[in-house]
């Protein structure tokens, strides 16, 4: 039994390292989102760091409209990035979890 515990602890430590590596890799994964009319474009990492915002000159004339575009487009980009982030991290975590009978954390 003690050997099994040591094996599980080693596997958990290895999984933790893989999760950290995945988090670093997600800093390089870009998620692009645009407004429906392409007047605003944003790029963020899968770790939800904004990398670029491109605004059409047409939007600069109306501050309120620009604010609305920013809120909608950034929220869509953040939602997509969160989905990518959670999917990637869950896959790494599931792969590295020890098989404990009766404990099915990831269905």
């Amino acid at each position: 039994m003690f050997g099994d515990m040591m094996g599980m602890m080693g596997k958990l430590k290895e999984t933790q390292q893989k999760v950290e590596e995945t988090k670093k890799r997600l800093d390089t994964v870009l998620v692009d989102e645009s407004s429906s009319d392409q007047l605003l474009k944003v790029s963020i990492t899968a770790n939800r760091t904004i990398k670029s915002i491109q605004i059409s000159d047409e939007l600069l004339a109306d501050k309120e409209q620009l604010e609305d575009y920013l809120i909608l487009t950034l929220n869509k980009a953040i939602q997509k990035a969160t989905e990518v982030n959670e999917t990637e991290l869950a896959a790494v975590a599931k792969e590295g979890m020890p098989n404990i009978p009766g404990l099915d954390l990831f269905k």
Side-chain angles (χ1 to χ4, degrees):
M1 177 162 169
F2 187 69
D4 288 345
M5 286 294 287
M6 292 302 291
M8 277 195 267
M9 294 301 288
K11 187 150 177 107
L12 287 173
K13 188 170 184 159
E14 181 181 315
T15 299
Q16 184 178 14
Q17 182 178 353
K18 285 182 180 180
V19 166
E20 291 304 316
E21 290 169 0
T22 300
K23 286 180 181 178
K24 286 180 185 174
R25 183 178 59 77
L26 290 174
D27 278 333
T28 65
V29 175
L30 291 179
V31 175
D32 298 317
E33 185 62 51
S34 300
S35 60
S36 57
D37 54 11
Q38 306 294 309
L39 295 178
L40 178 73
K41 297 177 183 179
V42 298
S43 284
I44 67 173
T45 69
N47 281 329
R48 297 169 299 272
T49 299
I50 297 170
K51 289 297 189 177
S52 70
I53 298 176
Q54 297 172 358
I55 302 170
S56 167
D57 290 340
E58 185 179 327
L59 283 177
L60 296 177
D62 186 343
K63 180 181 181 256
E64 191 173 307
Q65 182 183 16
L66 174 57
E67 290 169 348
D68 290 343
Y69 269 63
L70 283 167
I71 290 167
L72 292 171
T73 307
L74 284 169
N75 280 334
K76 286 194 304 188
I78 290 167
Q79 181 180 357
K80 281 184 180 179
T82 298
E83 290 169 7
V84 169
N85 183 289
E86 290 174 353
T87 300
E88 292 288 323
L89 291 176
V92 171
K94 182 177 180 179
E95 174 186 310
M97 288 298 290
N99 187 16
I100 302 172
L103 185 63
D104 192 7
L105 297 175
F106 303 99
K107 288 187 177 188

